[in-house]
């Protein structure tokens, strides 16, 4: 018998009543706001805004480059913020700001003002997405046997935002067709969705804050009583050079995936796809994002090296190039479903890589570094694809560039070894 028995509340065999599944699903609303709506809904709004405001593809792409610059600023601020505020407070504050900046985008037609709004929305997105990923990683650490699944659920929330956008934006555009700058109504409608999601995020934020406050003492007591330590050594610190190939591979992902998500709807319109077909394509892409949490959970749990990142990047390259090579509708649909089923799992794979190779105290630093690299890649992608699209070959050639960036990223990630 132990000389210092643990209190029942801290005993290792005490029942864990934490609603992991519901918490992960509620947290996923953060991913829905930060990426599914705040960033990716712009792909649906790009064609009517470009037609109405007379933009080139370069300027249209620059809007998402501005969003990525803002995302980079937010990512760089994460370490400073997390030293002063809890992740829960950063998550909720970012979601409120994202809601406000989405609404503001409907009040301007000036390219400069819209670039600023997209940049500010990017800052808010980084705060939401990064802190949500950190909280999901902590949640998954409590249930190692399904940590990949819980992480996937969080990132899969992006798909919910995409589905809502796919169904809501065309409906709003149709009803505002007779209004000047009717696309503004879509921005306002999406901001209301973000406001609702922000209100719902308050519950997991409160629940996790209370749980985090109680958890450390219990974990320390159990570790002391068993004399065991799990996971990477507590003394290990995050160093960029240790993750150099994974970071470079992730930069390729950032460059390649955002070009597809920014311009694929515009390409389908150019190719003559009907509004109903485009809605179906984008909705199926979003559904595939949600399903991806189950599809790739085992891969994320199994590999501690860059294998998962490399394989997923390679698949994305195949999905990105299909619409550039063919207008056959079954293959176009396959492109959207494959892309949706893979791209957010690439993000989850980097969180899993950090979790596998670093102790919990270093997760925030690791996730922040990958977020910065992600943002840097996204800065390059939209404007480069837009420049290519304004030249010979148009948008199809731009998506070829996106596919090549993804394949280069896959080759680099393949060289990342487990620590």
């Amino acid at each position: 018998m132990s000389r210092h028995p643990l209190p029942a509340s801290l005993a290792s065999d005490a029942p864990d009543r934490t609603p992991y599944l519901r918490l992960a699903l509620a947290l996923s609303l953060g991913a829905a706001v930060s990426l599914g709506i705040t960033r990716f809904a712009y792909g649906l709004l790009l064609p009517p805004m470009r037609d109405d405001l007379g933009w080139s593809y370069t300027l249209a792409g620059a809007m998402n480059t501005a969003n990525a610059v803002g995302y980079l600023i937010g990512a760089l601020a994460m370490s400073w913020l997390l030293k002063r505020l809890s992740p829960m407070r950063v998550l909720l504050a970012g979601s409120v700001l994202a809601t406000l900046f989405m609404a503001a985008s409907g009040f301007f037609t000036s390219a400069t003002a819209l670039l600023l709004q997209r940049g500010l929305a990017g800052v808010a997105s980084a705060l939401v997405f990064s802190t949500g990923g950190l909280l999901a990683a902590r949640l998954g650490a409590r249930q190692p046997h399904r940590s990949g699944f819980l992480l996937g659920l969080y990132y899969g929330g992006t798909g919910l935002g995409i589905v809502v956008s796919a169904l809501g934006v065309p409906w709003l555009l149709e009803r505002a067709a007779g209004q000047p700058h009717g696309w503004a109504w879509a921005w306002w409608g999406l901001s209301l969705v973000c406001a609702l999601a922000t209100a719902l995020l308050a519950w997991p934020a409160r629940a996790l804050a209370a749980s985090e406050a109680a958890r450390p003492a219990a974990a320390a007591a159990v570790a002391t009583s068993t004399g065991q330590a799990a996971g990477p050594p507590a003394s290990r610190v995050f160093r960029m050079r240790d993750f150099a190939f994974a970071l470079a591979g992730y930069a390729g992902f950032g460059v390649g995936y955002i070009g597809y998500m920014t311009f694929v709807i515009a390409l389908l319109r150019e190719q003559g796809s009907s509004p109903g077909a485009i809605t179906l394509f984008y909705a199926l892409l979003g559904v595939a994002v949600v399903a991806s949490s189950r599809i790739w959970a085992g891969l994320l749990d199994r590999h501690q090296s860059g294998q998962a990142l490399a394989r997923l990047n390679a698949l994305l390259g195949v999905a990105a190039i299909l619409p550039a090579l063919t207008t056959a509708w079954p293959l176009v649909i396959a492109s959207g479903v494959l892309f949706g089923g893979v791209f957010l799992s690439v993000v989850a794979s980097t969180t899993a890589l950090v979790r596998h190779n670093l102790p919990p105290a270093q997760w925030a630093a690791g996730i922040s570094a990958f977020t910065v690299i992600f943002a840097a890649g996204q800065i390059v992608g939209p404007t480069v694809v837009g420049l290519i699209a304004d030249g010979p070959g148009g948008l199809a050639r731009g998506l070829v560039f996106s596919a090549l960036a993804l394949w280069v990223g896959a080759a680099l990630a393949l060289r990342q070894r487990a620590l």
Side-chain angles (χ1 to χ4, degrees), residues 197-210:
T198 301
L200 294 174
L201 273 171
W203 170 68
R206 285 197 305 269
L208 285 168

Side-chain angles (χ1 to χ4, degrees), residues 109-196:
T109 58
S110 160
T112 301
L114 286 167
L115 285 166
L116 178 61
Q117 294 299 329
R118 292 299 290 159
L120 292 172
V123 174
S125 292
L127 302 184
V128 177
F129 195 64
S130 296
T131 50
L134 176 60
L135 292 172
R138 290 180 179 177
L139 200 63
R142 301 183 194 178
Q143 288 205 318
H145 62 285
R146 59 172 182 169
S147 59
F149 175 61
L150 292 173
L151 269 177
L153 280 180
Y154 169 72
Y155 291 118
T158 303
L160 175 62
I162 290 173
V163 171
V164 169
S165 302
L167 299 176
V169 169
W171 184 82
L172 288 167
L173 290 175
E174 183 180 349
R175 274 144 190 80
Q179 302 291 327
H181 314 305
W183 45 265
W185 289 91
W187 285 111
W188 296 329
L190 290 171
S191 72
L192 289 176
V193 176
C194 290
L196 175 60

Side-chain angles (χ1 to χ4, degrees), residues 2-415:
S2 171
R3 212 175 349 168
H4 302 288
L6 291 172
S9 61
L10 300 184
S12 59
D13 59 351
D16 186 354
R17 295 186 175 88
T18 304
Y20 291 100
L21 185 60
R22 283 188 289 140
L23 282 171
L25 287 171
L27 275 177
S28 74
L29 294 174
V33 169
S34 59
L35 292 190
I37 297 176
T38 306
R39 177 172 300 159
F40 297 139
Y42 172 69
L44 292 163
L45 288 162
L46 184 155
M49 291 181 74
R50 180 174 177 268
D51 292 344
D52 180 37
L53 302 176
W55 291 349
S56 66
Y57 278 124
T58 303
L59 179 56
M63 291 293 164
N64 258 3
T65 287
N67 186 262
V69 170
Y71 194 93
L72 176 59
I73 293 170
L76 291 171
M78 281 298 300
S79 294
W80 183 86
L81 285 171
L82 290 175
K83 289 176 183 176
R84 290 158 178 81
L85 298 170
S86 70
M88 294 78 176
R89 289 191 176 186
V90 177
L91 176 74
L92 290 175
S95 194
V96 169
L97 290 172
T99 301
L100 294 175
F101 295 139
M102 285 290 288
S105 295
F107 290 101
F108 298 96
T109 58
S110 160
T112 301
L114 286 167
L115 285 166
L116 178 61
Q117 294 299 329
R118 292 299 290 159
L120 292 172
V123 174
S125 292
L127 302 184
V128 177
F129 195 64
S130 296
T131 50
L134 176 60
L135 292 172
R138 290 180 179 177
L139 200 63
R142 301 183 194 178
Q143 288 205 318
H145 62 285
R146 59 172 182 169
S147 59
F149 175 61
L150 292 173
L151 269 177
L153 280 180
Y154 169 72
Y155 291 118
T158 303
L160 175 62
I162 290 173
V163 171
V164 169
S165 302
L167 299 176
V169 169
W171 184 82
L172 288 167
L173 290 175
E174 183 180 349
R175 274 144 190 80
Q179 302 291 327
H181 314 305
W183 45 265
W185 289 91
W187 285 111
W188 296 329
L190 290 171
S191 72
L192 289 176
V193 176
C194 290
L196 175 60
T198 301
L200 294 174
L201 273 171
W203 170 68
R206 285 197 305 269
L208 285 168
S211 179
E212 289 288 327
R215 186 80 180 175
V222 171
T224 301
S225 69
T226 61
Q228 295 175 346
S235 60
R236 180 175 292 166
V237 297
F238 173 78
R239 296 181 301 183
M240 295 281 283
R241 65 175 179 269
D242 291 336
F243 293 88
F245 286 113
L247 289 165
Y250 201 41
F253 165 71
V255 171
Y257 101 94
I258 193 62
Y260 181 95
M261 289 299 291
T262 301
F263 289 110
V264 68
I265 298 301
L267 175 62
L268 296 182
R269 278 191 40 155
E270 280 191 358
Q271 292 174 343
S273 297
S274 67
I278 290 174
T279 296
L280 176 64
F281 168 88
Y282 208 57
L284 287 176
L285 189 155
V287 170
V289 173
V290 176
S292 67
S293 61
R294 175 69 70 178
I295 297 169
W296 304 111
L299 181 71
L300 302 191
D301 286 337
R302 189 164 57 249
H303 290 289
Q304 299 184 20
S305 64
Q307 282 282 336
L309 175 58
R311 295 180 189 185
L312 295 172
N313 255 4
L315 285 173
L316 276 184
V318 174
I321 207 167
L322 281 176
L325 300 179
T326 180
T327 58
W329 193 241
L331 290 176
V332 171
I333 288 290
S335 165
V337 171
L338 178 59
F339 200 94
V342 173
F343 87 97
L344 256 296
S345 292
V346 177
V347 182
S349 75
T350 62
T351 303
L353 184 68
V354 167
R355 181 176 52 79
H356 283 313
N357 291 282
L358 293 172
Q362 294 294 308
W363 288 355
I367 290 171
S368 294
F370 275 97
T371 302
V372 169
I373 292 297
F374 180 54
Q378 291 177 125
I379 290 171
V380 175
T383 299
V384 171
V385 173
L387 281 167
I388 294 170
D390 281 329
L395 285 171
R397 184 169 292 181
L399 290 195
V400 171
F401 167 81
S402 294
L404 291 174
L406 289 162
W407 287 329
V408 169
L412 289 166
L414 197 59
R415 299 193 64 188

